[in-house]
C-alpha cells in the first residue's frame, strides 16, 4: 500500500490535484467557520442577554409582588407564544417543590448561583440541553431561567454536515483533478517524452511536434527543438571528424603498412634495417588498432545502433565466448569455467554484447597468472539479465576501481594494451541502459554486467 502511495505521489498531476483539493477544502472550511462564528456566536450572545434580562425582570417582579407575582409572570411568559418553545423557567420552594415553570424538576446537577451553564433538563417528559442561570430569592425560593439549545444544535449539525460535504467535494476534486491534470500533462509533456525516447534511440532528426498553443509548454517545445537542432549539428560534426579520421588517417596508414611490409620482404634476413622496419610495422599496426577502437567507441556512444536492438540470449553469448577462449586459457595454464549457466535474455545488439564479454574474458586471461580460474556466469535476478566474469587473480585495489574504463587509463603499463578495451565495454553497456560493476571477489575481481530483461 505504501509503495503504491509513494508511486502515486511522484505524479505531478496527483500532487497538483491534491494541493488544489486541499486548498478548496481549507477555503470551504474557513468559510463555514466564519458562518458558524457569525451565526452561532450571535445567537449565543442574544440568548445570554435574553436570559439575563428575564432573570432581572423576574427578580424585580418578586420584589414588587412576591412569589405570586413571579409565578404569574412565568405563566404569562410561557403563554405569550413568543419564545415559549425555547424558554425555560422553574420556580421551586425551600424543599425543592415546583411552584411554577415548564421544567419537570430541578436539574440533577444544579448550576451555581448567577453562573450561566449548560445542563441536561427534562421538559414535558423530554430531555434536552439548555443554558441555565439560577438565582436564589430572599424568601428561600430558587429561580431557574434558561434557554433550550436545540436551535443552536441544529445549526451546529448543519455546519458539520456542510463540512462533511466540503470534504467529499475536496475528495471528488482530488480524484477528478488528478485525472484532468494527468491528461493535460500527458498531452503537453507526452510529445516531449516520446521525442526524447526516439532521440535516445539514435533518431537525431526527430523533433517535438508544435502543439499550436501559446503557453509555457509551447515555449518549452520551441526550446527543446532548438536544443535538438544544436545537438544534431554537433553530432554531425563529430561524425564528420570520425569520417575524416577514418578516411584521411586510416587509408594512408594502411598504404604505409603495405609499403613497409614490401620493404621488409625485400630486405635480406640479416639486414640491420629489417628490425627497424619490423618495429615500425608493429607500432603502426597498434596505431591502427587504436583508431579502430576509438571509432567503435564513438559509434556506440552516438547511439545509432539502438535501432537494431532485439532479444539476445546472454547465456548463448557466454557459451560462445567460453568456447572461443578455451584453447587460449589452456595454453596459458588457466582454467576457464562456465558457471552458473542459467538462462538470461536481454534486449540489445548481439555483436556489441559479444564483443564486450570477449573483452572482459580477454582482460581476465591477460592479467591472471598460470593456475588461475576464470568463471563466466549468467543468471536472471528480479527480471534483469546478469553476466559476470570472475577470476581469482591479484584483483584491483578499491581506490582504482572507479577509474577503470576511463580511456587510455591502464593499471599495469608493462602489460600490452591501449587502455581502450574497458572503455568500449562501458560504452556498450551504457548504450544498452545497463550497469557495469567491478567487485572484489576475494581473491580476484568480479566484473558484473546488469541489463534490462528482454522478455521471452
Amino acid at each position: 500500500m505504501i509503495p503504491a502511495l509513494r508511486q502515486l505521489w511522484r505524479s505531478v498531476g496527483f500532487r497538483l490535484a491534491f494541493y488544489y483539493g486541499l486548498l478548496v477544502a481549507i477555503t470551504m472550511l474557513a468559510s463555514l467557520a466564519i458562518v458558524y462564528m457569525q451565526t452561532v456566536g450571535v445567537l449565543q450572545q442574544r440568548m445570554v442577554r435574553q436570559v439575563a434580562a428575564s432573570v432581572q425582570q423576574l427578580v424585580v417582579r418578586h420584589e414588587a409582588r412576591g412569589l405570586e407575582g413571579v409565578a404569574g409572570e412565568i405563566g404569562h411568559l410561557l403563554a405569550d407564544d413568543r419564545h415559549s418553545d425555547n424558554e425555560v423557567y422553574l420556580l421551586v420552594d425551600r424543599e425543592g417543590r415546583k411552584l411554577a415553570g415548564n421544567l419537570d424538576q430541578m436539574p440533577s446537577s444544579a448550576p451555581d448561583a448567577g453562573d450561566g451553564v449548560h445542563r441536561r433538563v427534562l421538559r414535558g417528559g423530554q430531555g434536552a440541553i439548555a443554558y441555565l442561570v439560577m438565582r436564589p430569592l430572599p424568601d428561600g425560593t430558587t429561580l431557574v431561567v434558561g434557554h433550550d439549545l436545540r436551535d443552536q444544535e441544529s445549526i451546529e449539525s448543519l455546519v458539520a454536515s456542510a463540512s462533511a460535504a466540503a470534504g467529499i467535494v475536496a475528495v471528488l476534486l482530488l480524484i477528478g483533478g488528478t485525472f484532468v491534470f494527468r491528461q493535460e500533462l500527458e498531452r503537453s509533456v507526452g510529445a516531449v517524452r516520446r521525442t526524447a525516447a526516439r532521440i535516445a534511440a539514435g533518431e537525431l532528426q526527430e523533433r517535438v511536434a508544435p502543439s499550436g498553443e501559446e503557453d509555457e509548454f509551447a515555449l518549452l517545445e520551441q526550446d527543446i527543438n532548438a536544443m535538438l537542432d544544436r545537438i544534431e549539428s554537433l553530432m554531425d560534426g563529430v561524425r564528420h571528424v570520425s569520417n575524416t579520421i577514418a578516411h584521411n588517417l586510416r587509408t594512408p596508414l594502411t598504404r604505409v603498412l603495405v609499403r613497409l611490409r614490401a620493404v621488409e620482404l625485400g630486405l635480406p634476413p640479416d639486414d640491420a634495417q629489417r628490425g627497424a622496419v619490423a618495429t615500425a610495422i608493429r607500432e603502426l599496426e597498434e596505431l591502427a588498432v587504436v583508431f579502430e577502437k576509438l571509432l567503435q567507441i564513438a559509434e556506440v556512444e552516438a547511439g545509432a545502433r539502438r535501432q537494431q536492438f532485439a532479444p539476445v540470449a546472454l547465456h548463448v553469448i557466454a557459451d560462445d565466448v567460453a568456447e572461443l577462449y578455451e584453447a587460449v586459457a589452456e595454453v596459458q595454464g588457466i582454467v576457464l569455467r562456465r558457471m552458473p549457466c542459467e538462462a538470461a535474455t536481454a534486449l540489445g545488439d548481439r555483436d556489441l554484447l559479444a564483443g564486450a564479454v570477449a573483452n572482459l574474458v580477454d582482460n581476465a586471461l591477460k592479467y591472471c597468472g598460470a593456475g588461475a580460474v576464470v568463471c563466466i556466469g549468467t543468471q536472471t535476478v528480479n527480471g534483469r539479465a546478469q553476466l559476470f566474469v570472475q577470476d581469482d587473480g591479484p584483483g584491483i585495489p578499491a581506490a582504482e576501481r572507479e577509474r577503470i574504463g576511463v580511456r587510455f587509463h591502464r593499471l599495469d603499463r608493462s602489460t600490452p594494451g591501449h587502455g581502450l578495451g574497458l572503455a568500449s565495454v562501458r560504452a556498450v553497456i551504457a548504450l544498452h541502459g545497463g550497469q557495469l560493476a567491478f567487485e572484489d571477489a576475494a581473491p580476484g575481481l568480479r566484473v558484473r554486467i546488469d541489463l534490462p530483461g528482454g522478455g521471452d
Side-chain angles (χ1 to χ4, degrees):
M1 184 64 180
I2 294 179
L5 291 177
R6 288 178 179 172
Q7 182 66 28
L8 191 61
W9 185 254
R10 293 191 185 100
S11 169
V12 176
F14 177 81
R15 292 201 302 272
L16 289 176
F18 177 81
Y19 293 141
Y20 177 65
L22 183 62
L23 179 61
V24 170
I26 291 175
T27 302
M28 288 182 175
L29 293 176
S31 301
L32 290 172
I34 293 174
V35 171
Y36 176 82
M37 295 300 296
Q38 292 295 323
T39 304
V40 177
V42 170
L43 288 175
Q44 181 78 16
Q45 293 175 4
R46 188 175 67 178
M47 177 189 67
V48 170
R49 289 196 299 268
Q50 181 180 344
V51 170
S54 297
V55 170
Q56 185 64 30
Q57 178 183 351
L58 292 174
V59 169
V60 171
R61 181 57 59 92
H62 181 270
E63 293 174 353
R65 301 181 56 183
L67 286 179
E68 293 183 358
V70 173
E73 183 66 18
I74 290 176
H76 174 71
L77 291 173
L78 292 175
D80 62 4
D81 292 332
R82 293 178 59 188
H83 302 289
S84 56
D85 290 341
N86 297 324
E87 291 176 331
V88 173
Y89 295 101
L90 180 64
L91 180 64
V92 296
D93 60 13
R94 294 175 182 272
E95 286 73 25
R97 292 188 295 268
K98 177 179 176 181
L99 301 176
N102 58 353
L103 285 184
D104 295 346
Q105 61 186 20
M106 179 71 81
S108 57
S109 178
D112 296 333
D115 293 337
V117 294
H118 295 92
R119 291 288 185 272
R120 187 164 191 81
V121 298
L122 283 176
R123 189 174 64 162
Q126 296 182 350
I129 300 297
Y131 171 79
L132 302 176
V133 173
M134 187 182 74
R135 180 66 61 85
L137 298 178
D139 57 4
T141 58
T142 303
L143 175 65
V144 178
V145 179
H147 196 279
D148 196 325
L149 297 177
R150 282 179 296 182
D151 290 345
Q152 183 174 334
E153 290 179 347
S154 298
I155 294 176
E156 292 176 353
S157 177
L158 180 63
V159 172
S161 300
S163 300
I168 294 173
V169 170
V171 171
L172 293 177
L173 284 174
L174 174 61
I175 298 173
T178 300
F179 177 78
V180 172
F181 277 124
R182 284 179 67 90
Q183 289 294 106
E184 183 65 20
L185 286 174
E186 178 60 28
R187 185 184 66 81
S188 302
V189 181
V192 176
R193 292 177 60 249
R194 289 188 293 271
T195 302
R198 291 194 292 270
I199 292 292
E203 302 176 23
L204 298 181
Q205 75 282 356
E206 290 292 328
R207 296 294 181 271
V208 182
S211 61
E213 300 181 4
E214 297 181 359
D215 55 12
E216 292 82 355
F217 288 105
L219 296 176
L220 177 62
E221 291 166 358
Q222 296 173 10
D223 293 339
I224 289 177
N225 284 336
M227 178 187 68
L228 293 176
D229 289 338
R230 178 59 176 163
I231 291 175
E232 185 178 21
S233 174
L234 293 173
M235 292 304 300
D236 288 341
V238 171
R239 290 195 186 96
H240 176 71
V241 171
S242 299
N243 292 334
T244 299
I245 292 174
H247 181 72
N248 294 340
L249 291 179
R250 281 198 305 180
T251 301
L253 188 60
T254 303
R255 291 174 183 169
V256 172
L257 282 171
V258 170
R259 291 172 182 171
L260 284 175
R261 289 192 182 102
V263 171
E264 184 182 23
L265 291 175
L267 292 174
D270 56 349
D271 195 321
Q273 293 183 353
R274 188 181 181 92
V277 171
T279 301
I281 290 174
R282 286 195 303 272
E283 291 180 353
L284 289 175
E285 286 175 342
E286 290 183 2
L287 186 59
V289 170
V290 171
F291 281 152
E292 199 67 40
K293 284 189 173 292
L294 287 174
L295 289 173
Q296 181 187 18
I297 293 172
E299 180 186 5
V300 170
E301 290 180 342
R305 298 186 68 166
R306 283 184 185 270
Q307 303 173 31
Q308 305 173 13
F309 280 10
V312 176
L314 283 183
H315 53 283
V316 175
I317 291 178
D319 292 340
D320 294 341
V321 172
E323 183 179 355
L324 177 65
Y325 279 91
E326 187 175 3
V328 178
E330 185 176 353
V331 170
Q332 297 180 4
I334 297 175
V335 178
L336 184 60
R337 294 176 180 171
R338 173 73 176 88
M339 58 178 294
C341 302
E342 298 179 17
T345 304
L347 188 67
D349 185 298
R350 190 186 191 284
D351 293 337
L352 290 178
L353 291 174
V357 176
N359 213 314
L360 294 179
V361 175
D362 185 73
N363 272 357
L365 296 178
K366 184 187 298 183
Y367 291 100
C368 287
V373 177
V374 176
C375 295
I376 307 174
T378 52
Q379 58 188 2
T380 300
V381 179
N382 297 327
R384 295 181 67 85
Q386 292 187 356
L387 182 149
F388 64 85
V389 177
Q390 179 175 327
D391 62 70
D392 57 359
I396 297 176
E400 292 287 343
R401 287 179 200 151
E402 298 208 353
R403 301 190 61 194
I404 300 176
V406 177
R407 296 181 191 180
F408 302 109
H409 176 68
R410 297 169 59 196
L411 295 177
D412 186 1
R413 296 286 178 178
S414 62
T415 305
H418 307 95
L420 294 174
L422 288 178
S424 65
V425 174
R426 276 194 181 276
V428 168
I429 302 307
L431 175 69
H432 287 76
Q435 298 176 350
L436 181 66
F438 297 90
E439 303 165 347
D440 186 7
L445 180 70
R446 175 188 173 101
V447 185
R448 177 170 50 85
I449 294 175
D450 188 297
L451 298 172
D456 297 332

